[in-house]
Amino acid sequence: MTAEAEQLRQDGHHIEKCSLGWLLLSLAMWAWFGYRSLMDDNRGRFERIEDSRAPVGILALAVIPTIITTATLVYARVLFRLARRTS
């Protein structure tokens, strides 16, 4: 294996480890969103939500780490394929 391919492979492993951190953050944010949206059972199903901005904000914050997780995983896979082709 060439030095360039080895460096690409190591970079891929590093990016993959970073994506696991983003994945954990993403799962925590989605769990927080689920908890916030399911915690108030006293409200009727079609009743107007008084504080409707909080769940939407949490949802928006949960989407960001999910997109970053996906992007870093794809980037790691690209690095692994490049390493395979250069070796």
Side-chain angles (χ1 to χ4, degrees):
M1 185 174 274
T2 65
E4 183 181 343
E6 182 63 27
Q7 183 63 37
L8 286 172
R9 194 179 65 75
Q10 287 176 356
D11 289 345
H13 283 295
H14 177 71
I15 297 294
E16 197 171 41
K17 288 177 186 175
C18 290
S19 71
L20 289 177
W22 282 108
L23 177 67
L24 292 175
L25 177 66
S26 175
L27 289 174
M29 301 279 297
W30 280 106
W32 184 30
F33 173 71
Y35 173 75
R36 287 284 302 199
S37 63
L38 296 176
M39 108 176 144
D40 192 11
D41 289 336
N42 296 332
R43 191 175 60 230
R45 184 174 193 137
F46 297 107
E47 196 173 316
R48 187 170 184 272
I49 300 172
E50 298 297 324
D51 188 22
S52 64
R53 286 188 233 171
V56 172
I58 295 169
L59 178 64
L61 287 175
V63 168
I64 293 169
T66 304
I67 292 170
I68 293 172
T69 301
T70 306
T72 54
L73 281 174
V74 169
Y75 183 57
R77 296 296 167 206
V78 168
L79 288 176
F80 288 138
R81 286 186 184 203
L82 285 173
R84 193 176 317 134
R85 284 188 180 179
T86 58
S87 62

